[in-house]
Amino acid sequence: MPPSNSTRKVAKAARSTSARRAASNRKNRSVSFPLAMGVIVLIGLLVIFWGRERRIAASDTMPRVNRDHWHAAYGIFICDKFVPNLLDARGDARGVHTHDDGIIHIHPYTSAAAGKKADLSTFFYETKLTVSDGKIELPPNPDGSPGDTWTDGKQCPDSRPGKVVLAVWDNADATDAKPTIVTHDIAGVRFKQDRMAFTLAFVPDDKIATLPKPDSVPTLDNLSDVPGSGTTATVPATGGSTTTAPGTPADQSTTTAPGSSPTAATGSAPTSAPASSTTAGQ
């Protein structure tokens, strides 16, 4: 039986609606594709610009790669005395290292140790010292055995429990300044300026307020690797002689050999105000 007029009209209307919908979809696709591509390009440009600005900011944040040369005194105080100074263990991998002199030499030659990334973790990495909240693990012994480990609550020789803290002096030369006491994220404490001082300690609670500055603070005035000295890197050797320390050309730190005369530093102390005493991470 032939379709009625009403059936033909319905079919025609349906075809017309489908045609309009298809045309609309084609139009939407023709608009949405370039719009999506434009959004992608815009996002890419923003990412590039953001990355560029971050690189510029990082390059201007001191200490800068191959531009700044700082020093900080440090010591590790366990219970009632300082333990021996640390040694380089990775050949000055990043430009933050030491010469068995109680001094952290800070002259980054990689972005991994510069700017906001110039913190104590770079020094701990170089010396294989492990520090976390509530724990100090000294570097391995020369025979390869693990170093001593001190955790919150462990007893000192006097049978009193100790606690892991870090005392920070922004100005090692300030004689009456109280240190900032850090108990959390010690490895994240930054090198903010030249001639800082750090005492990493495991002591009973009542000794925290009286933690001493590192014994190496006077050594800051007897360094010959300050900018403009033109000297080479040396470390103490037996028999009163000196030997060149391993490292890259950027490493020009020196330590006076036994029996020789130190060269006076030409740098001056920073003028920033001393830190106040708080218990917080930095």
Side-chain angles (χ1 to χ4, degrees):
M1 184 173 103
S4 64
N5 289 336
S6 61
T7 301
R8 288 196 295 271
K9 289 178 180 179
V10 170
K12 183 177 180 180
R15 288 195 298 271
S16 177
T17 300
S18 297
R20 287 196 300 270
R21 185 179 296 114
S24 176
N25 288 339
R26 286 194 297 272
K27 181 179 180 181
N28 288 339
R29 284 197 297 270
S30 65
V31 173
S32 61
F33 179 75
L35 181 62
M37 292 301 297
V39 170
I40 292 173
V41 171
L42 178 61
I43 292 174
L45 291 173
L46 290 175
V47 169
I48 293 172
F49 178 78
W50 178 74
R52 176 177 175 273
E53 291 302 308
R54 288 199 65 180
R55 287 193 298 272
I56 292 174
S59 65
D60 289 338
T61 302
M62 300 173 75
R64 298 161 296 184
V65 174
N66 294 329
R67 295 175 65 184
D68 298 310
H69 197 144
W70 293 351
H71 300 92
Y74 83 93
I76 302 175
F77 193 88
I78 303 297
C79 292
D80 59 359
K81 62 183 178 182
F82 284 105
V83 301
N85 296 326
L86 302 180
L87 299 170
D88 278 354
R90 303 182 190 274
D92 191 9
R94 298 173 178 173
V96 178
H97 68 118
T98 187
H99 290 300
D100 189 21
D101 53 1
I103 301 296
I104 304 173
H105 300 255
I106 308 155
H107 48 80
Y109 45 79
T110 169
S111 59
K116 293 182 178 180
K117 293 183 179 180
D119 55 30
L120 285 175
S121 71
T122 60
F123 179 64
F124 297 161
Y125 172 82
E126 175 64 29
T127 57
K128 293 189 177 182
L129 173 67
T130 301
V131 181
S132 57
D133 288 357
K135 181 179 179 180
I136 298 173
E137 184 178 349
L138 297 178
N141 296 310
D143 62 1
S145 61
D148 291 339
T149 298
W150 303 88
T151 57
D152 284 357
K154 183 176 180 178
Q155 292 186 345
C156 286
D158 61 2
S159 299
R160 293 199 296 162
K163 181 178 182 179
V164 175
V165 299
L166 175 73
V168 182
W169 290 266
D170 284 348
N171 184 351
D173 304 304
T175 58
D176 59 348
K178 292 185 179 297
T180 297
I181 301 299
V182 181
T183 59
H184 301 290
D185 191 23
I186 290 174
V189 173
R190 286 186 55 211
F191 302 117
K192 297 184 292 185
Q193 61 190 42
D194 192 19
R195 296 178 72 93
M196 296 179 71
F198 304 93
T199 294
L200 177 65
F202 175 83
V203 292
D205 283 335
D206 62 348
K207 288 189 175 182
I208 294 176
T210 57
L211 279 172
K213 287 182 182 178
D215 291 339
S216 57
V217 167
T219 306
L220 292 171
D221 294 323
N222 294 309
L223 296 169
S224 53
D225 66 329
V226 293
S229 65
T231 56
T232 58
T234 58
V235 294
T238 58
S241 60
T242 62
T243 57
T244 302
T248 67
D251 178 10
Q252 296 182 352
S253 306
T254 68
T255 300
T256 304
S260 63
S261 299
T263 301
T266 59
S268 59
T271 58
S272 61
S276 59
S277 178
T278 60
T279 302
Q282 288 189 352

